[in-house]
Amino acid sequence: MSDQSGTFKELPVIGSGPDVRNAGGQDPIIGIDLGTTNSLVAIVENGVPRIIPSREGKNLVPSVVHFNADGSHEIGDAAKGLRARDPKHTVYSAKRLLGRGAADIAPIRHLLALDLEESSTSNVKIRVEGRAYTPIEISAMILRELKASAERDLGRPVEDAVVTVPAYFNDSQRQATRAAGRLAGLNVLRILNEPTAASLAYGLQKKKNGLVAVFDLGGGTFDISILKLHEGIFEVLATNGDTQLGGDDIDHAVAAWIESELRKEDRTASFNGLENRAALNEAAEELKIRLSAESTATLKAFGVTITLTREKLAELTMPVLERTRAPIETAIRDAGLGTSDLSDVVLVGGPTRLSFVRKFVEELFGRAPNFSMNPEEVVALGAAIQADILAGNNKDFLLLDVVPLSLGIETFGGAMSRLIPRNTRIPTMAKERFTTFVEGQTKVAINVFQGERELVAENRRLAEFVLGGIPPLPAGVARIEVTFLVDADGILNVAAKETYSGVEQSIEVKPMYGLTDEEVERMLAAGHAHAESDARARKLIEAKNEARTVLAATEKALPEMRGLLDPKEAAEIENLAREVRQSLDRDDLDRVLGARLALDRGTVHMAELLMSRTLESGLKNKRAADVLKKS
Amino acid sequence: MSSSAFEVFNLKASFKLDERALENAYYEKSRELHPDRVARGDKSALLKSQEKSAELNRAYQTLRDPEQRLEALLRMSGRLKDEKSEEGREAIPMDLAEEFFGLQEAATEDPAIASKKVRAFIDTVARSAGADTAAIRELAARIDWESASTPENEALIGELLSRRKRRAYLLSLADNARKLGVA
Ligand SMILES: Nc1ncnc2c1ncn2[C@@H]1O[C@H](COP(=O)(O)OP(=O)(O)OP(=O)(O)O)[C@@H](O)[C@H]1O
Ligand SMILES: [Mg+2]
């Protein structure tokens, strides 16, 4: 055992304040639900998952970022509160833009109260005061905040995380999520599907075997997953969804209705522009949420009193709900089941708090859905359970997931040749042979697509892989074997080998809307700037922990040893202890380290006395603090 | 060479299969091989687990689906390519083929009347293909795939292949009939 700080992890810890609760084991892995509307972070302790509260003491952190004039920003409730008042500097629903190009978001663009910068070749960006942010950067800010909450709560640095995504997220969206994690200083050990995460929390609570459907209608995305639960195995049989469907769309429908009501008062009124859109959406959401508890809701918007009944809201919402029908039917069919085979339907997502949403689900599945779990927290709790599995603490549970969308390449005439069909279990691998068409050809380009349509033009192009370094050979002689691997994150990896000559291939990836090289570079550079402050923050947390440990040990030993100490010495130790206590209130690394060292030195004599009282001889030559800790 | 689906599960080559036992074996092996088990391990452990796990997943998906399972058996005994040869040509149902050509003509003359007939035709063809599927599976279960080259097995495989050929033809007839348009 060395004397350096950091060894405290292996030592038995004195005291049980919240800050050292988790010390003693491996580094923790947190579970994060990065939501369109709300984000949460959770952890499992001794097999029990719990949500970690935010800076403001809340479980839910609104996924909203507000930028101040001085370049600083706030996140969560503080930012959400400013959304209506200062929409130009407030970014929300960034998840709807993650990994998406201009064409992807065309259908919803006019509804968002965001100033977007679009290009056909890269991810859409959000403009705030002349600076364009990628949705990855915005997501990273939210993740950073959650990471900080976890570190504050656990009293130790946190790096490893499981981050959830909608099951129906495609490859670009998953990659973008992972990039956001990296940018936030997180080591994303797993990208986990949200409904699958929910099933883990459900399984932990119910401990039942059976066939379960998870209906997850969130703020901006809809997922349906069909799972088989069997003795701790969570096997996804099929999944489907719509990544542009959620509570936001209910708000937009209500906002359109409010607009028409307002026009009845003033025919010429116009509600375009960021401020108006933001105000309309805000009013719509408030009415909607109130109607989950009341049958009529009234508020003043644009100086006019608006009254909405639950019946009217149900009517406005129906077209949104109807859009869940086809994905649900497909998922059940793909699972090889009928609705009557299901033993339970689990509800996830804020909008499932509305009674008519539950009724819709009940009619669709022919059974009353289960809402015994908090629909907004269950995904984060599940992410924490998966984190616990990855940490090796839970050997009873295992998730077996699938790829949500078919993956293929272009063949003659623009047809899609499916290499990996949707709902294939992951990890999965497919091999395909390619050759050259021209003598001396040294490069082959392969376009990879994702989607269910027969023509590649109607599917989404994920990336172009350029295989280089093919030895010059006559046309058709080269044998290039390409391996497509979809990993447990549902993300595609490609490797290639020329088998005729045995030459390894270099692969250059040109993602479509994921990340351009230029973006990656810029982000990594920005990441380095953060790295330094991260390292300092980490050191500070570690130093404070060590100091707390020594302090607790001293406070425990002093009363017992007082009789054996000179009163002056005892008073000196008390002074040193007070200095350590005070240093803990400041974020001054040097001061914390200095105070702790002084206390270490000042307690050497007391530790020796303590040691001589102990029968254990193995404690000789230990640092005073170590002895104190063992006492 | 990668292992056959049967080898992955330490099973003898056979069409008959205990689905429950297969599922349990799959779960058990997944618990051992899944990348979750080495999430914090080094890169090579992760790669290896991904490869093993992918192989397991593919083998499971092959075995649990009767059609894919049969194809694997035919491939293993070198008989899958025979299907593309001329063998079993006599299996083509001439009566249905002629009926289709008749429909094709009728469709150009009066689409409305043809539409009804087309639907009835598709039903007949589908039923006939369904009977083939049942026969194919029954034959597959009788074949000893471990020693496929005995005369008795050869005869059964020959019959199975010609049934498969017939079915494939029927399915393409149904597809083409659908393209004639059902209003
Ligand atoms: N009581 C309520 N009644 C109706 N809708 C509600 C209620 N509470 C929250 N919502 C709505 O739920 C949505 C947010 O739900 P949730 O927090 O589950 O989404 P998310 O996880 O952020 O989004 P996603 O999963 O799509 O990324 C918002 O549209 C919000 O207006
Ligand atoms: Mg959600």
Side-chain angles (χ1 to χ4, degrees):
Chain A
M1 215 183 287
S2 91
D3 256 355
Q4 296 312 303
S5 65
T7 46
F8 71 92
K9 282 179 204 148
E10 285 92 53
L11 291 171
V13 175
I14 295 175
S16 57
D19 299 306
V20 286
R21 178 163 37 197
N22 230 294
Q26 263 188 319
D27 283 341
I29 312 178
I30 51 174
I32 293 178
D33 173 5
L34 179 63
T36 310
T37 319
N38 299 301
S39 297
L40 303 86
V41 54
I43 185 126
V44 168
E45 286 157 335
N46 304 319
V48 182
R50 71 171 170 98
I51 305 285
I52 295 175
S54 71
R55 190 192 295 274
E56 280 134 342
K58 302 252 185 68
N59 284 1
L60 268 60
V61 178
S63 305
V64 184
V65 181
H66 175 263
F67 292 91
N68 298 305
D70 64 359
S72 64
H73 62 259
E74 52 257 323
I75 283 156
D77 284 311
K80 191 180 178 183
L82 294 165
R83 184 171 133 190
R85 226 181 315 144
D86 189 18
K88 280 209 171 78
H89 302 105
T90 314
V91 179
Y92 71 101
S93 288
K95 186 172 169 182
R96 295 194 94 160
L97 308 176
L98 213 49
R100 294 184 164 267
D104 295 320
I105 60 142
I108 57 156
R109 134 172 255 319
H110 65 286
L111 300 167
L112 297 171
L114 293 171
D115 182 11
L116 299 183
E117 183 176 298
E118 296 177 40
S119 116
S120 58
T121 54
S122 67
N123 203 148
V124 174
K125 297 194 180 85
I126 305 143
R127 250 187 313 245
V128 182
E129 281 297 326
R131 217 205 120 176
Y133 296 89
T134 64
I136 295 176
E137 289 168 286
I138 301 291
S139 303
M141 290 172 188
I142 297 163
L143 289 172
R144 197 174 276 281
E145 174 73 17
L146 298 172
K147 177 177 185 271
S149 294
E151 291 180 332
R152 200 177 325 109
D153 181 275
L154 301 173
R156 56 190 297 185
V158 171
E159 266 178 15
D160 292 344
V162 169
V163 180
T164 63
V165 294
Y168 217 54
F169 252 21
N170 66 29
D171 194 86
S172 313
Q173 293 168 301
R174 285 166 195 269
Q175 293 215 37
T177 305
R178 199 166 55 179
R182 225 183 297 136
L183 207 53
L186 288 169
N187 176 27
V188 181
L189 289 178
R190 175 73 77 252
I191 295 286
L192 177 66
N193 292 326
E194 286 160 14
T196 320
S199 80
L200 279 176
Y202 168 87
L204 184 73
Q205 191 194 61
K206 296 278 171 201
K207 300 189 170 61
K208 262 199 315 205
N209 292 335
L211 294 162
V212 173
V214 180
F215 176 98
D216 180 355
L217 186 62
T221 59
F222 169 68
D223 279 329
I224 173 76
S225 287
I226 313 292
L227 290 107
K228 179 169 185 169
L229 273 52
H230 181 84
E231 308 299 336
I233 297 272
F234 294 73
E235 183 187 17
V236 180
L237 301 177
T239 192
N240 214 295
D242 186 335
T243 54
Q244 296 289 17
L245 179 64
D248 275 7
D249 299 286
I250 304 176
D251 299 349
H252 296 150
V254 176
W257 173 80
I258 298 177
E259 218 181 310
S260 69
E261 288 297 293
L262 294 174
R263 283 237 175 73
K264 283 182 191 160
E265 304 281 321
D266 175 4
R267 278 173 192 287
T268 60
S270 160
F271 299 96
N272 292 326
L274 278 190
E275 273 88 357
N276 287 336
R277 280 254 77 83
L280 277 174
N281 287 345
E282 189 106 340
E285 186 182 14
E286 192 187 326
L287 286 171
K288 173 188 74 176
I289 290 178
R290 277 170 43 194
L291 287 173
S292 66
E294 302 153 27
S295 56
T296 312
T298 299
L299 59 69
K300 246 195 158 78
F302 299 88
V304 179
T305 302
I306 305 274
T307 301
L308 182 63
T309 63
R310 194 184 280 163
E311 285 71 45
K312 184 67 191 172
L313 177 66
E315 182 194 319
L316 293 170
T317 304
M318 215 29 84
V320 175
L321 289 179
E322 277 299 331
R323 285 172 60 196
T324 67
R325 193 185 287 272
I328 292 172
E329 284 167 357
T330 307
I332 294 176
R333 194 170 349 105
D334 284 355
L337 302 171
T339 38
S340 57
D341 296 320
L342 298 169
S343 47
D344 214 346
V345 181
V346 179
L347 293 180
V348 182
T352 65
R353 291 188 184 277
L354 291 164
S355 56
F356 52 84
V357 173
R358 289 178 186 175
K359 211 168 123 233
F360 178 86
V361 174
E362 179 166 351
E363 273 162 20
L364 229 147
F365 285 91
R367 70 170 55 247
N370 178 307
F371 46 90
S372 62
M373 279 172 307
N374 183 320
E376 279 133 332
E377 295 181 352
V378 61
V379 169
L381 295 173
I385 296 171
Q386 176 66 11
D388 199 43
I389 295 172
L390 297 185
N393 300 332
N394 181 347
K395 299 234 162 49
D396 299 332
F397 281 14
L398 179 68
L399 263 185
L400 302 170
D401 221 317
V402 300
V403 57
L405 296 152
S406 300
L407 229 132
I409 49 175
E410 180 172 0
T411 56
F412 301 108
M416 167 111 163
S417 160
R418 223 157 263 150
L419 296 178
I420 297 171
R422 71 162 184 263
N423 293 323
T424 298
R425 284 141 212 281
I426 50 174
T428 188
M429 228 181 237
K431 287 193 163 92
E432 191 72 17
R433 289 233 167 79
F434 296 88
T435 189
T436 49
F437 290 104
V438 185
E439 171 156 3
Q441 188 179 339
T442 57
K443 273 187 183 175
V444 171
I446 301 168
N447 282 299
V448 182
F449 295 83
Q450 203 165 29
E452 308 310 320
R453 307 292 294 271
E454 293 304 322
L455 297 178
V456 291
E458 288 162 351
N459 289 324
R460 186 196 164 87
R461 187 160 110 190
L462 288 185
E464 181 179 64
F465 294 93
V466 179
L467 313 178
I470 300 167
L473 292 164
V477 170
R479 293 262 173 283
I480 305 140
E481 191 181 80
V482 180
T483 306
F484 300 87
L485 166 81
V486 178
D487 62 22
D489 295 338
I491 291 177
L492 174 68
N493 302 262
V494 176
K497 205 159 77 191
E498 202 284 298
T499 52
Y500 181 82
S501 66
V503 175
E504 276 290 320
Q505 300 303 291
S506 65
I507 297 186
E508 190 194 331
V509 188
K510 295 181 188 162
M512 274 304 283
Y513 302 117
L515 304 160
T516 65
D517 286 350
E518 169 198 59
E519 272 172 344
V520 170
E521 226 128 90
R522 190 167 53 76
M523 285 175 184
L524 286 180
H528 284 312
H530 285 304
E532 204 173 301
S533 61
D534 277 358
R536 217 179 152 72
R538 188 186 174 107
K539 277 204 193 101
L540 181 66
I541 290 171
E542 282 175 356
K544 281 192 178 179
N545 261 313
E546 178 77 346
R548 277 193 195 96
T549 312
V550 176
L551 185 63
T554 307
E555 282 169 346
K556 176 158 183 277
L558 192 57
E560 293 170 26
M561 305 301 292
R562 199 178 282 276
L564 300 170
L565 293 173
D566 181 89
K568 244 171 74 191
E569 187 183 354
E572 176 60 14
I573 291 176
E574 271 168 359
N575 274 338
L576 292 169
R578 188 175 318 115
E579 175 53 27
V580 170
R581 216 173 292 123
Q582 283 168 358
S583 80
L584 288 173
D585 292 337
R586 302 276 167 74
D587 288 344
D588 181 344
L589 178 63
D590 292 339
R591 185 167 167 195
V592 176
L593 283 174
R596 197 266 289 155
L597 263 171
L599 181 62
D600 260 0
R601 280 195 215 102
T603 53
V604 169
H605 180 236
M606 179 168 77
E608 279 166 4
L609 289 174
L610 197 62
M611 197 154 42
S612 62
R613 274 200 347 176
T614 320
L615 295 171
E616 262 184 77
S617 55
L619 293 178
K620 260 177 210 135
N621 300 325
K622 292 278 164 150
R623 197 169 50 144
D626 288 348
V627 177
L628 288 172
K629 281 178 214 165
K630 299 238 171 188
S631 70
Chain B
M1 252 327 262
S2 56
S3 329
S4 81
F6 292 94
E7 281 163 3
V8 170
F9 281 94
N10 302 318
L11 289 172
K12 278 197 184 145
S14 156
F15 185 73
K16 280 179 282 188
L17 184 111
D18 179 345
E19 282 175 26
R20 253 281 150 62
L22 176 72
E23 186 180 70
N24 283 333
Y26 171 65
Y27 290 160
E28 215 163 283
K29 283 183 184 293
S30 292
R31 281 188 190 278
E32 183 190 322
L33 300 175
H34 195 276
D36 279 7
R37 296 296 181 239
V38 290
R40 280 175 146 180
D42 57 24
K43 193 141 181 123
S44 75
L46 181 65
L47 278 175
K48 199 167 152 220
S49 137
Q50 272 175 341
E51 222 159 277
K52 287 262 163 210
S53 199
E55 185 181 46
L56 176 70
N57 283 333
R58 199 188 27 205
Y60 182 50
Q61 261 176 327
T62 303
L63 292 188
R64 69 202 294 259
D65 174 29
E67 291 297 320
Q68 286 186 45
R69 185 160 76 230
L70 176 57
E71 242 166 63
L73 289 165
L74 287 168
R75 195 176 307 115
M76 282 162 67
S77 47
R79 300 305 294 269
L80 197 58
K81 57 181 184 298
D82 291 357
E83 248 178 358
K84 308 212 166 58
S85 72
E86 288 300 291
E87 191 187 323
R89 196 187 171 82
E90 68 283 0
I92 290 175
M94 292 313 289
D95 49 338
L96 287 171
E98 269 160 28
E99 195 180 334
F100 173 74
F101 295 127
L103 274 178
Q104 219 171 12
E105 250 167 60
T108 49
E109 278 157 26
D110 188 348
I113 294 178
S115 158
K116 229 183 180 168
K117 286 190 183 158
V118 166
R119 210 172 298 147
F121 176 74
I122 291 174
D123 277 353
T124 313
V125 170
R127 223 171 304 122
S128 186
D132 282 338
T133 297
I136 289 164
R137 293 188 185 173
E138 200 245 320
L139 285 162
R142 277 165 60 197
I143 295 166
D144 175 2
W145 294 96
E146 284 284 318
S147 51
S149 58
T150 62
E152 193 193 340
N153 272 329
E154 285 293 343
L156 291 171
I157 293 178
E159 198 183 336
L160 183 146
L161 287 176
S162 85
R163 278 284 193 160
R164 270 172 64 91
K165 193 150 197 144
R166 190 183 126 92
R167 185 180 59 175
Y169 187 81
L170 288 173
L171 293 178
S172 74
L173 266 189
D175 255 3
N176 286 328
R178 247 172 241 121
K179 280 182 202 139
L180 286 181
V182 184

